[in-house]
Amino acid sequence: MLDDPLDCIVVGGGPAGMTAAIYLARFHRRLLLIDANESRAALIPRSHNHPGYPDGIHGESLLMRMREQMARFGVITVAAEVLGARSLPGGGFQVTAGQSWQCRHLILATGVRDRLASVPDALQHVRQGLLRQCPVCDAYELTGQPVAVIGAGECAAGEALFLRHYTPDIMMLTLGKPLDMPEPTLRKLYEAQVTILQRDVTEWEFSEGRVTARSRGAAAMQFAAVYSALGNDPRNALARSLGLALSADGRIVTDVHQESSVPGVYAAGDVVTGLNQLAVAMAQGEIAATRVHTLLRVREGRCVTDPL
């Protein structure tokens, strides 16, 4: 246990967490980044909508660049899963991940876990770009091509309608589950000419640039890609243990400074309510880190006006 608390501990080594760490290091702050190596950005085969990369960039390549940038500024990274965090009576926090550290501020960038369809080798096909998670990220690359959406609920219907802007050839695959959505949503799918197949898929074949699905009593179906629209689960165990306010979907509620309902605890990235995009996550990490630095400047008497 360090007697002198760190200025900040960042939990999560994805784009949001590493951006926060880079900013804090450049502010000459004492920090630690704890990373369980579970960033969903590592699964991105190639992002074409991240600004500054006209030819796109592989998710793992982006993470490697950011790790190198952190290392150049001397950020200490602990490869571990955080097992617990608690508020301290005199202020600040204690974080445990094998050993324990104290800090004045905490930034949670723990992300979400996608609910993948029960498809063989699902993660491999995500890395291939054949099984996808985010139409905001990559629907453009499927313009005019046949696309399937896996799911039977509102989430799947929403993604199918979103994708209809890019291609007229959309099919919802419920994998044998009954539709679970109100009549107005069904009507919108019908009006958008989205085909719905409620039979189970008995065989999947993933090949270069093509997904083939087979169902009993139906001809083989071919798609350029398939979206798994089953939703996701925020990694909010730490947030819950600290008593942070959460939205209805379990994400952390923050203010304009990315501060949670518990003073001193900030959140950034997909675990926060809002648009889940690389650039948004990075911006949230920047905002949180800058706010931490500003509050430390106030504490040190190096701020002209009190931003509180």
Side-chain angles (χ1 to χ4, degrees):
M1 179 80 70
L2 294 174
D3 294 328
D4 187 15
L6 296 165
D7 293 321
C8 186
I9 290 178
V10 180
V11 181
M18 285 198 284
T19 299
I22 289 167
Y23 268 62
L24 287 166
R26 288 175 56 82
F27 288 140
H28 294 298
R29 293 302 177 184
R30 297 176 62 248
L31 76 138
L32 183 70
L33 183 140
I34 305 176
D35 180 25
N37 194 29
E38 295 181 333
S39 173
R40 68 202 293 241
L43 298 175
I44 299 173
R46 183 168 293 273
S47 174
H48 291 276
N49 73 334
H50 187 46
Y53 296 95
D55 295 321
I57 183 166
H58 190 283
E60 186 57 45
S61 297
L62 178 64
L63 294 177
M64 288 177 61
R65 286 170 179 249
M66 297 185 72
R67 292 185 192 115
E68 180 183 350
Q69 192 171 0
M70 280 199 308
R72 292 187 182 187
F73 296 121
V75 175
I76 297 173
T77 301
V78 174
E81 181 180 355
V82 174
L83 302 176
R86 66 184 182 93
S87 300
L88 296 173
F93 308 91
Q94 178 180 311
V95 177
T96 303
Q99 66 183 95
S100 294
W101 299 269
Q102 290 185 1
C103 59
R104 293 190 174 90
H105 303 87
L106 189 57
I107 298 177
L108 303 183
T110 48
V112 300
R113 180 182 291 105
D114 291 303
R115 299 174 196 155
L116 290 175
S118 55
V119 172
D121 300 318
L123 287 179
Q124 175 187 340
H125 301 315
V126 171
R127 293 187 178 97
Q128 293 172 330
L130 296 174
L131 183 62
R132 302 190 177 195
Q133 311 288 337
C134 175
V136 174
C137 303
D138 48 34
Y140 180 87
E141 281 70 43
L142 296 170
T143 298
Q145 300 184 64
V147 178
V149 176
I150 295 175
E154 285 273 279
C155 181
E159 290 203 9
L161 291 170
F162 183 94
L163 287 158
R164 182 61 181 80
H165 178 72
Y166 296 88
T167 176
D169 196 346
I170 303 287
M171 179 178 287
M172 276 184 61
L173 303 174
T174 73
L175 304 188
K177 295 184 178 180
L179 291 171
D180 182 19
M181 62 188 71
E183 182 61 33
T185 300
L186 281 170
R187 191 178 308 116
K188 288 180 181 179
L189 291 171
Y190 174 78
E191 292 172 351
Q193 298 181 321
V194 173
T195 304
I196 301 175
L197 181 69
Q198 297 190 61
R199 297 189 185 95
D200 195 9
V201 172
T202 56
E203 183 182 352
W204 293 95
E205 181 182 329
F206 293 83
S207 57
E208 187 66 31
R210 187 66 53 182
V211 180
T212 302
R214 294 182 175 86
S215 179
R216 291 188 182 90
M221 302 160 285
Q222 290 195 329
F223 310 102
V226 176
Y227 282 86
S228 180
L230 304 177
N232 51 53
D233 299 303
R235 298 176 184 269
N236 60 16
L238 283 179
R240 290 183 182 276
S241 69
L242 289 164
L244 274 58
L246 304 176
S247 62
D249 63 359
R251 297 175 193 264
I252 300 172
V253 178
T254 61
D255 65 10
V256 295
H257 302 295
Q258 299 303 131
E259 190 168 21
S260 72
S261 59
V262 174
V265 180
Y266 298 78
D270 293 351
V271 75
V272 172
T273 300
L275 182 63
N276 295 341
Q277 293 288 289
L278 292 171
V280 173
M282 291 177 173
Q284 290 172 342
E286 294 167 5
I287 292 168
T290 303
R291 180 62 171 177
V292 168
H293 177 57
T294 298
L295 294 180
L296 288 167
R297 289 172 56 222
V298 171
R299 176 190 180 97
E300 297 158 350
R302 298 173 187 165
C303 197
V304 175
T305 58
D306 189 339
L308 301 177

